[in-house]
Amino acid sequence: MSENRCNVDSPLTFMYKEVDGIRVLLDVYLPPDGVDQQFDQQVIQYHPVVVYFHGGGLTVGNKRSWFPTWLKRRLHARGIIFISADYRLIPPGTGYDVLADVKDAIAFVAGDLNVQLDQELADRGSGSRFRIDPTSIGVAGTSAGGFCAYLCAIYAVPKPKVVLSLYGMGGDFLTDQYLTPKTQSFLRGREMLDPAQFSEYIYPFNNLQSTSDSPLVYHPKSYHIPGYPANPRMLISRLYLQLGVALDYITGQHEPSLSVALRNAIHTEDPFDEALISDHKSIFPQFNVTSDWPATYLIHGTNDTAVLLRESRNLHSLLLKAGVEVILEELPGREHSFDYQPGAELENERSFDDIVQFLYRHLT
């Protein structure tokens, strides 16, 4: 079911599922019909697609947050369709809800979407001939969206042909970043948060409503901290890291706290006892790497204080051991969200081009 009230240059928005009383949406960006003369504009053309999942610590954002314009533009130039998808956010959702949503998003893109595109484009009088090739789907994500992309690599049907992760979380959840309470600033020098100000988002919840759409909102310049986040969800992923309980919220295991159980286990000389996460192993990407994981491009800044570089390094090592084609590009001195910083397009042009060439090679 479409939700389109846009002009022809805007995305086409579709609901790919309804759950928990909410409509979970995705945006479809079709390339301009004249993007390449090799495409016959009189005939329906089935093209590869990349499905992108936004960042936000799994707690905030939507399909238009932290939007990778550089990626969409380069994919369109090669005739590749770009899709950006929402997913249910934590809390009250958990990693299991995220898993269910990203699987359903890929199934919808490979299944019903072409029929709905036919209808929507006909209703709008559009002559676009681009349609989805369900055998040529790639996935991409930044930060928390990397976790979504990894889950697609493991569970989505059809299996994606290729994965792109920019500073993606989930490559190694068994770290102090997720498990150890912090007593001083640890993320970009930002202030420590007062949990009492976020009681609505602290377990146990009091009728906290499910959502897949929590936009970025900032205080005006007149605020005592100009530009400070006005949507509390923009801060709670940092709060969970500060408290060392992020995995409780990702897995939904609060009583007893999974984080407390794991905290000591990661600092022993003995091999990690996977029985400690046996109930939740399915949503730990690092324990689900196999030889049929798709070709993967990882890119990460060496100075990332939100998602540590060791996550991508760990996943890179696991993928190599499994015989998967994988590239890890480490960007010296770069922080989290380096691709959204001023001048990023010029500074990262070669990396961006290499990424899209990698995607193109595996999708065509």
Side-chain angles (χ1 to χ4, degrees):
M1 181 175 183
S2 69
E3 304 222 343
N4 297 298
R5 301 290 185 271
C6 307
N7 62 48
V8 294
D9 296 320
S10 297
L12 302 171
T13 301
F14 299 90
M15 180 183 75
Y16 70 84
K17 70 185 294 184
E18 188 168 5
V19 63
D20 295 340
I22 60 172
R23 301 155 69 83
V24 190
L25 309 176
L26 55 75
D27 284 344
V28 179
Y29 295 82
L30 299 176
D33 278 313
V35 69
D36 196 317
Q37 295 181 355
Q38 68 177 305
F39 305 133
D40 184 345
Q41 297 183 30
Q42 304 305 312
V43 178
I44 293 293
Q45 299 280 342
Y46 294 91
H47 286 255
V49 59
V50 169
V51 181
Y52 169 79
F53 299 98
H54 65 82
L58 298 175
T59 67
V60 71
N62 60 29
K63 52 192 168 52
R64 302 187 188 184
S65 303
W66 296 289
F67 190 84
T69 302
W70 66 268
L71 180 59
K72 177 179 75 72
R73 179 168 56 81
R74 283 172 169 80
L75 291 174
H76 276 185
R78 292 175 177 259
I80 298 174
I81 298 165
F82 183 82
I83 292 177
S84 184
D86 286 338
Y87 52 88
R88 279 174 290 172
L89 301 172
I90 295 171
T94 69
Y96 296 101
D97 298 314
V98 175
L99 170 57
D101 291 352
V102 300
K103 285 175 59 180
D104 287 341
I106 299 302
F108 174 79
V109 168
D112 293 341
L113 181 53
N114 273 337
V115 173
Q116 295 197 28
L117 276 172
D118 288 344
Q119 183 62 55
E120 182 61 31
L121 292 169
D123 290 347
R124 293 159 63 99
S126 170
S128 177
R129 299 298 177 179
F130 284 90
R131 297 297 186 273
I132 306 295
D133 178 354
T135 69
S136 189
I137 297 174
V139 291
T142 51
S143 194
F147 174 66
C148 298
Y150 299 156
L151 293 179
C152 289
I154 301 163
Y155 298 111
V157 178
K159 184 177 285 291
K161 298 287 188 183
V162 64
V163 175
L164 166 64
S165 172
L166 292 90
Y167 41 89
M169 63 183 284
D172 189 357
F173 276 143
L174 301 178
T175 70
D176 288 324
Q177 183 79 340
Y178 294 103
L179 296 171
T180 299
K182 321 296 190 296
T183 57
Q184 58 187 8
S185 177
F186 65 97
L187 198 159
R188 287 185 166 175
R190 293 172 179 167
E191 79 285 359
M192 300 296 280
L193 300 170
D194 179 3
Q197 296 182 3
F198 301 88
S199 57
E200 179 182 1
Y201 303 99
I202 300 293
Y203 178 86
F205 312 117
N206 184 19
N207 297 318
L208 183 61
Q209 298 301 303
S210 180
T211 183
S212 61
D213 183 352
S214 185
L216 309 183
V217 182
Y218 298 90
H219 285 290
K221 292 182 179 179
S222 57
Y223 189 65
H224 70 278
I225 307 177
Y228 195 74
N231 178 352
R233 280 187 169 274
M234 296 170 69
L235 298 169
I236 59 173
S237 63
R238 172 153 60 102
L239 177 64
Y240 297 157
L241 293 177
Q242 175 184 311
L243 298 175
V245 294
L247 291 184
D248 292 7
Y249 290 86
I250 293 173
T251 62
Q253 182 179 323
H254 298 273
E255 297 178 353
S257 167
L258 179 63
S259 299
V260 171
L262 294 176
R263 202 166 287 158
N264 293 327
I266 65 170
H267 290 295
T268 68
E269 295 182 359
D270 298 326
F272 177 74
D273 182 4
E274 293 186 20
L276 292 171
I277 60 159
S278 59
D279 292 341
H280 305 291
K281 191 174 179 180
S282 62
I283 56 171
F284 280 65
Q286 67 206 84
F287 293 111
N288 291 279
V289 173
T290 61
S291 60
D292 65 348
W293 184 293
T296 298
Y297 197 115
L298 307 169
I299 183 167
H300 213 127
T302 61
N303 286 8
D304 197 321
T305 56
V307 178
L308 304 185
L309 173 60
R310 65 175 287 177
E311 294 212 45
S312 288
R313 285 179 171 174
N314 185 61
L315 184 60
H316 177 252
S317 176
L318 293 171
L319 291 172
L320 284 177
K321 290 177 182 177
V324 175
E325 181 185 351
V326 58
I327 291 173
L328 170 58
E329 182 178 359
E330 298 184 11
L331 300 182
R334 305 292 176 79
E335 246 287 7
H336 202 64
S337 303
F338 61 82
D339 50 324
Y340 298 108
Q341 301 307 307
E345 173 68 40
L346 181 61
E347 190 172 11
N348 301 298
E349 182 176 15
R350 181 172 179 177
S351 294
F352 291 170
D353 289 345
D354 288 346
I355 286 169
V356 173
Q357 175 60 32
F358 184 87
L359 297 175
Y360 182 78
R361 176 163 61 86
H362 287 281
L363 289 170
T364 59

